[in-house]
Amino acid sequence: MKYAHIVGWGSFRPDKILTNHDLARIVDTSDEWIYSRTGIRERRIASEKETTATLAFEAAARALQRADLHPSQVELIIVATSTPEYIFPSTACRVQDYLGATKAGAFDLSAACSGFVYALSMAAQSIQTGSVRNAIVIGAETMSRVMDWEDRGTCILFGDGAGAIVLKGSSVPGGVMASTLRSDGSGGDLLSLPAVYHNPMPVLGPEYLHQNGHRKNTVDMNGRQVFRFATQVIASSVEETVAKAGLTMDEVALIVPHQANVRIIESAAKRLKIPVERFYMNVDTMGNTSAASIPIALCDAVHDGRLRPDDNVVFVGFGGGLTWAASVVKWNVTPPEISLPRREWRRARYILARARSQIKKWRRKIIDRVLFSPAPHERMRDADRKE
Ligand code: COA
């Protein structure tokens, strides 16, 4: 089982569409400016009920469906995200619970917009070394929740969504053939999102806050420098990884890049001396969905018939950190046809998984009540009162 093949893929995009015209009513911008500088026309925005974990679950359920894999067979779940709802529990653990993937290890991976390629590489190595037989790799983001909606330099770029793939071990040569992961922390300030706890805590007192001010918890970016960095690293990492896989650029059928900006991709194509048509792009309708952009674009590329069995496809990501990464994948597994009743039965199982999760929560509460009645913190409070 030393090859890790992509055997399932799925994406989920929230219903709400925010167009450039809508944005022009929020900040001082225009459809013409945004489209000419970025290639973006619209992006999706998560509803109040949707979270990074629910988007990730929907994408993962679709990918499992396509792979015809039961959640209880899944052994590893990695969610690449910069917008988790919690530092812990991880988004991956929430997805594990929603899926009812009772035998899976689960963790989040933080590498900004390169996160999906990093996670793909980690999962592929886990399969190639025999540590697990399969894995779900998800990129999921609710970037709209970390935007400064008064900053026209950033809020026009990002959107929400999720994409997932299922990787499975096989003795058939192919699948993930080579990866390159890189980082340069000296450029961390060029694109950043401070964590909530990066803010001075109230314990430091009003004097401290007065002197140092509050830090924003929204995306901060030096657009021009990020642009320059991106065009350089796309070309270098694609060339390096294609060579590592023992291929030439002529043998690459399609490049699925992180969807940040059409001009960045055009300029990378020029550096690589290949036609821009070899790059798949859907940034016009999705905007930049950070770690989710590559798996969503992959799903669209498959849907549009851009990938055929035995094609070599390259994924390339770049972003905050600074980080960048590329993977070469041989696309050679045809997914099975799944009947409608079987699909419906799968959906029903997810409802059962949620019910089981609730029952587990109640059981913990009941055991807690029976064994520690009253609860330890209540006993301490009662003792304090008596004193
Ligand atoms: N609408 C209208 N005008 C805008 C604007 C907007 N949304 N955002 C910036 N401007 C203005 C600026 O204020 C500036 O005006 P000035 O010349 O009067 O000062 C002018 O447009 C040019 O600004 P600049 O920042 O130089 O624009 P740019 O051509 O570099 O385009 C980006 C800005 C953000 C589109 C571009 O730098 C970019 O795409 N960078 C990469 C960002 C990215 O992909 N990040 C994610 C990587 S994972």
Side-chain angles (χ1 to χ4, degrees), residues 29 33 37 113 152 221 223-224 226 258 260-261 264 288 318:
T29 190
W33 194 95
R37 305 281 173 128
C113 305
R152 65 180 182 170
M221 183 182 70
R224 269 182 237 177
V226 170
H258 167 47
N261 184 316
I264 290 178
N288 179 343
F318 53 87

Side-chain angles (χ1 to χ4, degrees), residues 27-30 33-34 37-38 113 152-154 156-158 191 221-227 230 258 260-261 263-264 288 318-320:
V27 285
D28 182 12
T29 190
S30 65
W33 194 95
I34 300 173
R37 305 281 173 128
T38 67
C113 305
R152 65 180 182 170
T154 53
I156 55 146
L157 298 173
F158 294 91
L191 182 53
M221 183 182 70
N222 179 328
R224 269 182 237 177
Q225 291 214 40
V226 170
F227 193 102
H258 167 47
N261 184 316
R263 289 194 302 138
I264 290 178
N288 179 343
F318 53 87

Side-chain angles (χ1 to χ4, degrees), residues 83 178 229 300 321 337:
T83 47
F229 147 75
D300 288 358
E337 282 296 321

Side-chain angles (χ1 to χ4, degrees), residues 256-261 265 280-283 287-289 293-294 297 318:
V256 181
H258 167 47
Q259 306 288 314
N261 184 316
I265 296 169
Y280 186 81
M281 287 192 251
N282 67 356
V283 69
N288 179 343
T289 54
S293 88
I294 293 176
F318 53 87

